[in-house]
Amino acid sequence: MKRIYYPEPFRIKSVEPLRILTREEREEKIKAAGYNVFSLAAKDVYIDLLTDSGTGAMSSSQWAGVMVGDESYAGADCYYKVQENAKRIFGLPYIQLVHQGRAAEKVLLPVLLAGKKYAIANMHFDTTRAHVELAGSRAIDCTIPEALDTTAYHPFKGNMDIARLEEHIKELGAENIGVIIMTITNNSAGGQPVSVANIRAARDVAHKYGIKFMIDAARYAENAYFVKQREEEFRSSSIAEIVKAMFEGVDCFTMSAKKDAIVNMGGLIGCRDKEIFELVKQRCISFEGFITYGGMSGRDIEALARGLEEGIDENYLRYRIGQMQYLAARLDEAGIAYQTPVGGHAVFVDAKKLLPHIPYYEFPAQALAIELYREAGIRACDIGSYMLGNDPDTGKQLEADFEFTRLAIPRRVYTQSHLDVIADALINIKERACSVKGYQIVEEPPILRHFTAKLKPIE
Ligand SMILES: *Cc1c(COP(=O)(O)O)cnc(C)c1O
């Protein structure tokens, strides 16, 4: 089998030592954590794949920026720099800093949804859905059906189902819909990309009915890289040109800079319409801080301004997406199923297929996450029935469409050897899969239980 190998386009200047516990120690730690990976201390984890959000490694240039970041309350130098870079990259005239992605949603969504009943998206990320609901509206997902089949190939599994979008608009009434949102890449569908053609089609439908069109831009750069690889029209375009094409004619965007802008904290809002931007600025002052710092320290703004540029470097993106492809190729060799083709920020292992003897109500994806910790000190998380929780009306465990164990890869943090440890651990677990047990919950809070519940193995 052909090895996919795009070496790291950097060398390492500063290292953070990691402790590797023995198997016995890990056994004790996970038991003491109530078999909940969120309750593990990070220092007891060897490879932490819980999330790719805010966990990236900054470059020497970004660290240098931390020293020159201007901490003035108003009109700091770094504010002008981030404005200039964001306007050039995204092509929208008005940019507001905020402290992270959900802050952007909290500030912008109530403006777009005022007096409206619905938001429609290719798929809402959890915090986006929460802020649509907090604004008193309902969030409707409209992903193409191919996204639900983990084994089927589709170059743009994150796409919006355009025909259904238009049906929804006709059924619900255009006047009741505040915004149409395109999440790029489609995080909840497995970091799957959206084509520029699909963005344009969704935008044109929105505008045909006089509805605002917004991009949730957390992974703008990874999406652009997939477009270059897979969409004929853009084969010879630069990443910068593709990002411009993705944002053409878009009314607004929200962005968590903790992903593709490779900073540990930060976010942005972009607007084309001056009236909307005036409201955004007012709300920003109430919730985040004065408009020129928006809840961020100057040093973090400076790192963000530089990270926006580094995120769209094609050499970096080739290595970044190459890491997912390398890990996926190793899983292919071993016959381990995952959401295919592999997405931009994570490998979503199909735990239902790896542990077929564990039913959804005994949480196969959680069982696999626990097994990865036992096997090699790897921390992954369940995106399945364990995370979904109980039916609020009947209290009965719900069955999720997927039982995924998500391996989210932080940016520029782990080497190819670490990826081999991950692949080898999964292969070892596969060999003894039939001895892996399911879990039952012994203690759970009523909402978002997966963060704090306690479990025990079923003997
Ligand atoms: C992470 C993320 C958010 C929320 O951003 P935070 O910085 O975590 O608040 C919103 N949308 C998408 C698609 C994300 O991945």
Side-chain angles (χ1 to χ4, degrees), residues 100-102 105 125 127 183 187 216 218-219 256 258-259:
Q100 66 182 98
R102 69 199 69 184
E105 293 162 354
F125 180 68
T127 61
T183 310
N187 185 348
D216 178 350
R219 297 182 181 81
S256 168
K258 300 170 69 172
K259 282 67 171 242

Side-chain angles (χ1 to χ4, degrees), residues 52-53 99-103 105 123-128 183-188 216-219 254-259 265-267 345:
D52 66 316
S53 179
H99 83 277
Q100 66 182 98
R102 69 199 69 184
E105 293 162 354
M123 210 180 275
H124 293 80
F125 180 68
D126 340 4
T127 61
T128 321
T183 310
I184 60 169
T185 56
N186 189 330
N187 185 348
S188 310
D216 178 350
R219 297 182 181 81
T254 55
M255 189 179 117
S256 168
K258 300 170 69 172
K259 282 67 171 242
M265 194 53 78
H345 69 285

Side-chain angles (χ1 to χ4, degrees), residues 441-456:
I441 292 178
V442 290
E443 224 184 283
E444 64 182 314
I447 52 159
L448 292 175
R449 68 159 184 210
H450 60 290
F451 290 120
T452 53
K454 289 191 166 58
L455 301 100
K456 74 171 194 206

Side-chain angles (χ1 to χ4, degrees), residues 234-356:
F234 297 98
R235 200 137 287 170
S236 51
S237 307
S238 69
I239 299 294
E241 286 163 349
I242 296 169
V243 173
K244 271 279 175 56
M246 295 187 319
F247 285 80
E248 200 179 58
V250 163
D251 298 299
C252 308
F253 72 84
T254 55
M255 189 179 117
S256 168
K258 300 170 69 172
K259 282 67 171 242
D260 277 359
I262 328 179
V263 285
N264 304 114
M265 194 53 78
L268 291 177
I269 298 170
C271 298
R272 209 174 284 285
D273 181 319
K274 191 156 194 306
E275 277 161 40
I276 292 179
F277 187 60
E278 288 305 320
L279 296 170
V280 162
K281 283 196 290 188
Q282 287 167 25
R283 290 176 59 82
C284 182
I285 293 173
S286 316
F287 294 127
E288 292 286 288
F290 185 62
I291 51 171
T292 66
Y293 74 89
M296 292 181 71
S297 55
R299 50 185 172 270
D300 287 337
I301 297 172
E302 183 71 35
L304 169 52
R306 296 177 189 215
L308 283 173
E309 296 280 0
E310 291 182 14
I312 56 173
D313 173 42
E314 196 172 337
N315 281 322
Y316 153 73
L317 285 167
R318 187 178 300 112
Y319 140 81
R320 163 77 181 151
I321 306 296
Q323 281 207 315
M324 308 307 139
Q325 292 169 346
Y326 175 80
L327 185 52
R330 288 225 42 206
L331 300 190
D332 285 339
E333 273 175 21
I336 294 171
Y338 57 88
Q339 170 71 299
T340 47
V342 70
H345 69 285
V347 177
F348 289 67
V349 180
D350 190 336
K352 214 189 268 187
K353 292 216 167 73
L354 192 67
L355 304 172

